[in-house]
Amino acid sequence: MKKGLTLSDILVTVLVSVIFAVIYNLWWVVTKTIEPLGLQLDQLMYGMWFAAAVVAYLIIPKMGIALLAEFAAGAGETIMMGRFDIPTIIYALLQGLACEVIFALFRYRSRAFMVAVMAGVAAAVVSLPIDWYYGYLSEVAQWNLILLIAFRIISGAVLAGIFPYYLVKALDQTGVTKLFRPASKDDYDAL
C-alpha cells in the first residue's frame, strides 16, 4: 500500500464526508427530539458528529484521512445549513485532530476495535473544552455537568467508535472497500 494519499483516497474520504454531512444535518432532529427529556440524554446521541473521521480511517488507514474526513464533513454540514458556521468548523478540525493523534499512536497500522473506540472517546473529550469556551458548559450545575461529560464520552465510544467499526467491517465483507484496502484473512483476524 502506498504511504501517501492518492487521489482516490481523497475522493473516497470526501465522499464519506459528504454522506456524514447529510447525516450530521439530519442528526440535529434526533438530538433536538431527545433534548426535552432532560438529564443530558441528548449527549448520548452526540458521538455521531465524530463518526466521519473514524469511518474514513477504517476504510483508508492513512495519515491525514481522519482530519480530512472530519473537516470536510463539518464544512459540508455548514454548507447544508445554509450558513458558514465557524464553531462547527473548529469542532470538526479539533475532533479530526484528536482522532489523528490516536491513530498516530498506533502508527496508522491498527484498525482494531479498541483503536476505533479510543478515537471516538478522544473526539468526545476534545469537544468539551470547545463547549466551555463557547459558553455551553459554564452555567451547567455540577451534577448535570458530570452527566453531560459521562454521556458524551459514552456516546463517543459507541457512536464514533463501535458503530463505525462494525459499519466498516460490514462494508469489508461486502467487498466495497477492496479497492482501497484489500482484505485478506489476516486482515479479518486483526479485526
Side-chain angles (χ1 to χ4, degrees):
M1 181 183 324
K2 295 178 183 176
K3 285 194 175 196
L5 297 180
T6 64
L7 179 59
S8 64
D9 294 340
I10 294 168
L11 292 175
V12 169
T13 302
V14 170
L15 176 62
V16 167
S17 299
V18 168
I19 292 167
F20 273 95
V22 172
I23 292 169
Y24 290 176
N25 271 290
L26 296 174
W27 205 247
W28 283 106
V29 176
V30 175
T31 58
K32 292 299 179 185
T33 302
I34 293 172
E35 191 173 28
L37 299 176
L39 296 175
Q40 303 295 341
L41 292 176
D42 59 313
Q43 295 299 311
L44 290 171
M45 303 292 106
Y46 204 95
M48 184 56 72
W49 281 295
F50 318 139
V54 180
V55 168
Y57 169 78
L58 291 174
I59 292 171
I60 305 167
K62 291 184 178 180
M63 180 174 27
I65 289 291
L67 177 60
L68 174 62
E70 196 63 37
F71 181 77
E77 181 183 6
T78 66
I79 291 167
M80 288 181 194
M81 283 191 283
R83 68 185 198 290
F84 187 71
D85 188 43
I86 297 292
T88 300
I89 299 296
I90 292 170
Y91 277 101
L93 182 64
L94 294 177
Q95 289 161 187
L97 280 172
C99 291
E100 284 288 339
V101 166
I102 297 301
F103 301 140
L105 288 174
F106 294 91
R107 295 184 166 152
Y108 298 96
R109 291 185 184 147
S110 179
R111 295 174 56 240
F113 177 82
M114 283 311 298
V115 173
V117 171
M118 288 169 55
V121 168
V125 169
V126 82
S127 71
L128 293 167
I130 307 167
D131 280 356
W132 193 274
Y133 175 78
Y134 283 114
Y136 305 136
L137 300 181
S138 59
E139 298 176 9
V140 177
Q142 187 175 8
W143 68 271
N144 213 350
L145 182 61
I146 292 168
L147 275 179
L148 183 145
I149 292 168
F151 287 169
R152 184 164 309 172
I153 290 171
I154 290 167
S155 181
V158 173
L159 293 177
I162 296 171
F163 167 70
Y165 175 82
Y166 284 109
L167 174 66
V168 173
K169 191 171 181 180
L171 288 173
D172 285 347
Q173 291 173 346
T174 66
V176 171
T177 59
K178 230 176 208 180
L179 177 63
F180 310 102
R181 186 187 23 76
S184 66
K185 182 175 178 348
D186 293 337
D187 289 332
Y188 287 117
D189 292 341
L191 289 174

